[in-house]
Amino acid sequence: MDEDGRGRLRPEGGEADGRDADAEAQKTALQPTVANARARAGGRDGAGEGSLPRPEDGLVARAGAGAARAGALLAAHRLAALLTGAAIALLVVVGTLLSPVMAGTPDATRVRADALAHTPVPTHDGGPWNHDGVLIATDAQLREKSTEASGGISARTTVTYSDGSVEASWDAILLYQRSDGSWELESIDVPQAASWRPTSGPDHQKLLASLEALLTRAEARLDSQGDDGEESLANLYRDCEASVTNDELDVAARLDKMTVRCSKQEGFASRNCDLSLTLRFVTASGVWELTDVSVSDGAKELGYEPLKGSWSGSFRTQSSSGHKCLSGRDAGLRLSIDEVATSGDTTMIAGTLDGVAHFHPEPERDSTGCDGDSALESLAFTGTLQDGSDGLVFDCETADDVRGSVSLRLEFGNAQNPSAATATLVSTHDYQDSFLLVPYQRTARYEDEFVLRKV
């Protein structure tokens, strides 16, 4: 058998046509390659530099290249195996080194107890309206733990404080270091300011104690609206009675709206007003701030509400057109002032009275009672405030009576005694008399005076 040009064996007598020509061309093309291979081999198999290449030389060259590639692949696999083994060994070493650090680190219970006991308390200036109180740590929550480069453990916690009216919270970072086989708290760091929230509204007593400042602020609003009253609210309501009558707290909105009722009685008159306050809670500082103050209409006007109510009269004296009839002494006087109304410059009252009216002629001598004395029960009256008096003087009228007339004069306070209160019940009765047998009409008049006290 002969070799073909590609180093393969072929049968004798095979075709030497075009395929032989191709073989010869391939041999010619392979000659430089084969020559180079022999040159690198140093003339292996006794072939000189100018010897013709043999077909078996191609097989040798190919086998050598395959061996080289196999060696390179084997070397690469060995390097990868070495690197993998080294990485595994490194992880084992690191895990061995770190296992003492992570094992037995401070748990959540330990961290919470340390945070509650050792984290500093936020500084709190309660401001003018906050309740007084002492902040106490009430809760601590562990957020995360991490290992420091030094081998220590840091624990981030959120600590909450309360004084009963406000709450504060901030994050604290607790650093633990291992010492003699145990974890010791080394330091606490508070990186940010506290955040505040209200749990109740402002202190009512502090607001009322600062009433003058509230009235001054309300006065400023009146001035801006063109009020030209000579007396300021602070002066008119000095030493007044004040109370919080409404408190609408919205904790979520951190807003509180209050109403403070101010009342001041001057003799038998009074002034009343409502202060509407708006306060907002500042989360950055934890204090309530007063943002708005307004006052109700008519705050400076004098009213007469103190007159309303029941009054009892004790008999003091009687003036009459003749001899006296003193039946009113035992009967006394009872008044009920049910309404007080002011319209413009006119003030009126309305009510009822119980007493005795004298519907009879003058007695011949002073008497404890006479025929014609008439009991008055729930007799309605209306009165109008008179101008130009030292105190409050109301002239009151009652319904007509065929037997005579009844009128009432009420006086509350005067220059000599601002607290005095008196009532004069006036009865008149017309009757026929004669002089020297000449008839004429006379009017008997009785004025019973009573000292009043409110019941």
Side-chain angles (χ1 to χ4, degrees), residues 430-442:
D430 296 332
Y431 65 96
Q432 293 289 330
D433 200 356
S434 64
F435 180 73
L436 298 178
L437 302 177
V438 177
Y440 65 96
Q441 184 171 329
R442 294 185 60 179

Side-chain angles (χ1 to χ4, degrees), residues 46 89 100 102 117 121 181 202 225 253 290 301 397 420 444 447:
M102 298 304 296
V121 179
Q225 296 172 350
L290 185 66
E301 296 177 2
E397 297 178 351
E447 297 182 4

Side-chain angles (χ1 to χ4, degrees), residues 4 68 103 143 224 295 298 314 319 337 380 421 453:
D4 59 15
R143 300 304 182 190
S224 68
V295 65
S314 300
S319 299
I337 300 178
R453 63 180 181 88

Side-chain angles (χ1 to χ4, degrees), residues 208-231:
L208 296 177
S210 303
L211 186 60
E212 183 176 353
L214 300 178
L215 290 167
T216 299
R217 189 156 174 177
E219 181 73 28
R221 168 169 284 197
L222 290 179
D223 292 342
S224 68
Q225 296 172 350
D227 177 76
D228 56 356
E230 295 181 1
E231 287 286 336

Side-chain angles (χ1 to χ4, degrees), residues 198-445:
T199 56
S200 67
D203 188 328
H204 288 185
Q205 296 305 314
K206 287 187 175 181
L207 283 167
L208 296 177
S210 303
L211 186 60
E212 183 176 353
L214 300 178
L215 290 167
T216 299
R217 189 156 174 177
E219 181 73 28
R221 168 169 284 197
L222 290 179
D223 292 342
S224 68
Q225 296 172 350
D227 177 76
D228 56 356
E230 295 181 1
E231 287 286 336
S232 67
L233 289 172
N235 288 335
L236 291 174
Y237 287 92
R238 182 170 284 111
D239 300 325
C240 72
E241 294 182 0
S243 61
V244 176
T245 58
N246 187 49
D247 188 347
E248 299 177 5
L249 173 64
D250 189 337
V251 172
R254 297 176 174 86
L255 193 69
D256 200 344
K257 293 186 176 182
M258 294 185 181
T259 302
V260 175
R261 178 74 169 176
C262 302
S263 300
K264 185 175 182 181
Q265 188 165 334
E266 299 181 10
F268 296 94
S270 67
R271 288 185 174 87
N272 300 280
C273 72
D274 288 326
L275 294 176
S276 298
L277 314 179
T278 301
L279 297 100
R280 186 175 298 277
F281 188 82
V282 182
T283 57
S285 60
V287 301
W288 286 99
E289 288 188 350
L290 185 66
T291 59
D292 186 65
V293 182
S294 61
V295 65
S296 57
D297 294 338
K300 295 185 178 183
E301 296 177 2
L302 197 61
Y304 304 99
E305 291 297 311
L307 297 178
K308 293 175 66 173
S310 297
W311 297 82
S312 176
S314 300
F315 183 83
R316 183 163 68 179
T317 188
Q318 183 187 77
S319 299
S320 66
S321 56
H323 290 288
K324 297 178 180 180
C325 179
L326 303 178
S327 57
R329 181 168 53 189
D330 294 332
L333 180 69
R334 290 173 299 280
L335 300 176
S336 176
I337 300 178
D338 303 319
E339 297 181 30
V340 177
T342 299
S343 176
D345 296 331
T346 302
T347 299
M348 298 188 67
I349 61 173
T352 58
L353 65 86
D354 293 272
V356 172
H358 304 283
F359 295 143
H360 56 78
E362 297 173 357
E364 295 181 357
R365 63 185 63 88
D366 292 344
S367 174
T368 57
C370 300
D371 291 339
D373 288 336
S374 178
L376 304 174
E377 296 181 357
S378 300
L379 181 63
F381 68 87
T382 59
T384 302
L385 179 63
Q386 304 301 303
D387 294 332
S389 302
D390 291 336
L392 303 178
V393 177
F394 291 87
D395 284 338
C396 307
E397 297 178 351
T398 66
D400 292 336
D401 192 307
V402 294
R403 296 171 296 173
S405 67
V406 175
S407 62
L408 181 68
R409 184 177 181 87
L410 299 176
E411 299 182 51
F412 300 97
N414 53 58
Q416 291 73 32
N417 187 357
S419 62
T422 61
T424 302
L425 184 62
V426 180
S427 304
T428 63
H429 173 71
D430 296 332
Y431 65 96
Q432 293 289 330
D433 200 356
S434 64
F435 180 73
L436 298 178
L437 302 177
V438 177
Y440 65 96
Q441 184 171 329
R442 294 185 60 179
T443 299
R445 181 181 180 91

Side-chain angles (χ1 to χ4, degrees), residues 64-149:
R69 286 194 300 272
L73 182 60
L74 180 59
H77 280 292
R78 287 176 178 174
L79 178 59
L82 287 173
L83 290 176
T84 302
I88 294 174
L90 179 60
L91 289 175
V92 171
V93 171
V94 171
T96 302
L97 292 175
L98 291 179
S99 59
V101 176
M102 298 304 296
T105 59
D107 61 11
T109 301
R110 164 77 185 279
V111 172
R112 182 179 183 275
D114 286 343
L116 289 173
H118 302 296
T119 303
V121 179
T123 301
H124 184 224
D125 176 11
W129 319 119
N130 285 48
H131 290 271
D132 293 328
V134 178
L135 286 171
I136 299 174
T138 58
D139 187 38
Q141 295 293 327
L142 175 62
R143 300 304 182 190
E144 62 179 357
K145 289 195 299 185
S146 59
T147 303
E148 299 294 316

